Amino acid sequence: VKWMWLPKSLTTNYTNYPGPLKSEAFKVDIAHSNELGRQSLGLTSLFSADVNGTTPDSAELTATNFKALSEAPQSPAAERVRVNDVRALPRQLFWELQKPDFGWATYPALAAEKARAFAAELAKNPSGADPTKFQVDPPYAPKIQELSVSYQRSVEVELANTSERTQPTARLLHVHPFGVSAILATAPSFFPPYPEAGELYIGLSDLEPGQRLTLLVQLAEGSSDPEAPLSRVSWSYLDEYGWQPLAADAKFVDSTRNLINSGIVEVTLPGATTDGRLPGTLRWLRVSTLNSTASVCDCVAVETQAITARFHDRGNAPDHYQNPLPPLSIDRLLVPQLEIALVEQPYTSFGGRPEEASSGFETRVSERLRHKNRALSPWDYEHLVLDAFPQIYRAKCLPASLSEPGRVELVVIPDVRATLPRNVFAPKAPAQLLGVVAEFLRERAPSAASINVRNARYVGLAVRVDVRFKPDIDEGYAKERLNEELVHFLSPWAYDEGADLVIGGRVYGNSILDFIDRRPYVDYVANLKLFLEDAENPTLVTPVPEGYFASVSADDEVLVSAKQHAIETVSASSYQQSSFVGVNYARVEFDFIVG
């Protein structure tokens, strides 16, 4: 506290007052009031010993006997208030002046008394009366110029002492994104640990302990990165001691195969109280991956109280299986039950296959008679996989290498119509599916065969062409439309147009020119160039005696369309070849390769 208008000396200011009053004699009792009541922090002097009236006096009032909340005596009328934010607690500091006070109550009577005594002294000894012996100055009226309050608090917390966990003297807390939790004695750390690469929190309400929980985990199948290493998915629940792995008695069943495909998860959770890191009004499940989130599919939704319904054929039309059952087709039970209020089918059906046609039966039987469920020739490997795995669209067994005898390389392409691939122009089967296919083939191949099943390598084809659009056509719109139609033309299978996707193959430049020229908004097309976007650097395709075409160089490569093509507009009335050469026409990554 800094005082203002201090006298030159408080001691001289209180001359002739009863009792010796010094600067350090004025004391206050500092008290602290909180939800437990009021407690005294001790007596301290208001002024320093060397009060000087020339500058404001700064005095540090120190209280050292502050008690912890649980140690302080609680007043009978006080009710303990528990809030999450300590800043919201009601707290006040009180200054109570102790004796002696500043003398304003006694000053009038004392001044009158000294005045009468001085008058009597003058009557007795007019020339020898000393007025300083009877002088009474007005008491000091304290005025504060500046007041600041700060405090330091220290406490020793023994983390190993868990007996006071529910109501400890002091707690150390970790601050999480959605709440706080106590630091555990078993693994104390300054920051809350998050060793997992990714976490998904599932909050559940109205869940009784021991109740069987079924969750439909709907995933965007195919959205995982097949090149990423497989990461094990773990499930845990939250209790007062943090995340606990599901025990064997939880009867955990996971049909999602580590979040690779949609499925139902079944679990029985024990009774537990959350530790505060997540809202305590819900029961919490956590799905976490330790290494990488790219190896699992994106989550679309999580639905509770899920079951699997199987279609019972009662002489239905065979074409029923050609298309999946649309969402919301199932809306009620055949035999109503009072316990079930609503039935919903939020997604399409899966797994249905139409009745095999006679031609398909003959083909399958002929193939079976040829390979006899054994993998010996490349033809056997390909057709065994295509018959056993409908999610595989194409399979190609590469020729054997003389340097690695017995090694079988099988390249597969997944069916993009049944999944949502991470890259529709480069669909790749997940690593777990590749492992299942390889294990399937090992059971049917010779013991000396070394089988490796992998995805195809995709090579993008980029087109650079000069185009003049017809009059009254917006060039910006026309370029975007032409680029989109070129992508459709070069990769029609990516748009479910019934086109074939083959491993290998070639695309001729004259077919691309003919396609562009047939666009109704194109007037003129010239100067076609093809680029192969293998790895990171595009390579210009050069003409050969057989013609001008783009093709792959390896047996495991697939030619697909680039996402963006270079379309140059011709705005002049006549085409000049010289206008489309030189530095002004050149483009980075086509004409210039930045290394």
Side-chain angles (χ1 to χ4, degrees), residues 62-105:
T62 304
T64 58
N65 64 339
F66 179 84
K67 294 183 179 181
L69 300 184
S70 59
E71 300 172 353
Q74 184 173 358
S75 61
E79 294 183 1
R80 183 156 188 168
V81 180
R82 289 191 176 272
V83 295
N84 293 328
D85 191 353
V86 296
R87 295 170 297 180
L89 290 173
R91 300 181 179 211
Q92 297 88 27
L93 285 175
F94 293 89
W95 287 9
E96 186 174 349
L97 184 63
Q98 304 298 303
K99 293 181 178 180
D101 58 15
F102 286 96
W104 284 99

Side-chain angles (χ1 to χ4, degrees), residues 15-18 103-119 131 133-139:
T15 303
N16 298 325
Y17 276 72
W104 284 99
T106 60
Y107 171 69
L110 181 61
E113 179 184 350
K114 291 296 182 181
R116 289 194 300 268
F118 181 59
K133 295 181 179 180
F134 304 94
Q135 180 181 353
V136 179
D137 295 331

Side-chain angles (χ1 to χ4, degrees), residues 181-439:
S181 66
I183 297 180
L184 299 179
T186 55
S189 61
F190 187 73
F191 292 105
Y194 284 92
E196 291 79 7
E199 298 180 349
L200 171 65
Y201 301 141
I202 302 174
L204 305 166
S205 61
D206 301 329
L207 181 64
E208 299 294 335
Q211 184 179 1
R212 191 64 173 171
L213 174 66
T214 57
L215 297 174
L216 169 62
V217 182
Q218 187 69 24
L219 303 175
E221 298 183 11
S223 59
S224 61
D225 185 1
E227 305 298 335
L230 288 178
S231 179
R232 185 177 179 275
V233 176
S234 61
W235 290 72
S236 54
Y237 69 96
L238 184 63
D239 68 359
E240 59 178 340
Y241 297 100
W243 293 106
Q244 306 298 331
L246 293 174
D249 55 359
K251 301 178 182 179
F252 179 72
V253 178
D254 182 11
S255 62
T256 66
R257 297 191 304 168
N258 287 330
L259 299 184
I260 294 299
N261 55 260
S262 302
I264 293 180
V265 175
E266 301 181 26
V267 64
T268 302
L269 295 180
T273 303
T274 60
D275 68 346
R277 70 185 65 194
L278 290 171
T281 56
L282 301 176
R283 295 290 306 280
W284 290 98
L285 275 174
R286 182 185 67 172
V287 191
S288 59
T289 59
L290 183 61
N291 298 328
S292 173
T293 59
S295 62
V296 299
C297 296
D298 297 335
C299 184
V300 177
V302 178
E303 308 283 350
T304 58
Q305 300 179 350
I307 61 171
T308 301
R310 184 181 298 273
F311 177 73
H312 179 61
D313 195 339
R314 296 180 294 178
N316 298 78
D319 58 357
H320 169 77
Y321 292 97
Q322 293 182 358
N323 297 311
L325 197 65
L328 305 180
S329 298
I330 303 176
D331 57 1
R332 60 186 178 274
L333 296 175
L334 181 63
V335 180
Q337 298 184 22
L338 296 178
E339 298 85 355
I340 300 178
L342 182 65
V343 175
E344 290 182 340
Q345 178 210 343
Y347 307 103
T348 60
S349 62
F350 63 93
R353 301 182 66 176
E355 182 180 350
E356 188 177 33
S358 57
S359 58
F361 173 77
E362 295 172 359
T363 300
R364 182 172 59 84
V365 171
S366 300
E367 292 179 355
R368 178 61 182 249
L369 291 175
R370 177 174 175 176
H371 58 63
K372 299 181 178 62
N373 202 30
R374 295 177 297 179
L376 297 177
S377 65
W379 187 93
D380 298 339
Y381 283 94
E382 295 170 356
H383 287 76
L384 279 170
V385 170
L386 293 176
D387 179 62
F389 298 93
Q391 60 269 43
I392 300 297
Y393 182 69
R394 282 286 181 268
K396 182 177 182 179
C397 189
L398 302 181
S401 174
L402 296 178
S403 60
E404 295 181 294
R407 182 175 178 82
V408 178
E409 290 281 343
L410 186 71
V411 178
V412 298
I413 297 177
D415 189 356
V416 298
R417 296 170 297 180
T419 60
L420 180 62
R422 192 180 188 92
N423 183 0
V424 70
F425 296 99
K428 296 182 179 181
Q432 190 163 4
L433 177 59
L434 298 180
V436 173
V437 174
E439 187 64 28

Side-chain angles (χ1 to χ4, degrees), residues 441-505:
L441 292 176
R442 291 189 186 99
E443 297 175 356
R444 292 158 178 80
S447 58
S450 175
I451 300 175
N452 181 34
V453 182
R454 58 184 175 86
N455 286 294
R457 296 178 59 248
Y458 295 89
V459 179
L461 174 60
V463 176
R464 184 174 186 181
V465 65
D466 303 330
V467 178
R468 182 172 66 204
F469 299 107
K470 291 185 177 181
D472 302 329
I473 296 294
D474 181 74
E475 288 188 0
Y477 165 76
K479 289 176 67 174
E480 292 182 4
R481 181 178 177 184
L482 180 58
N483 182 83
E484 183 180 354
E485 292 186 355
L486 270 175
V487 172
H488 278 250
F489 175 71
L490 296 175
S491 297
W493 43 266
Y495 298 90
D496 196 18
E497 296 181 2
D500 196 10
L501 173 61
V502 297
I503 301 177

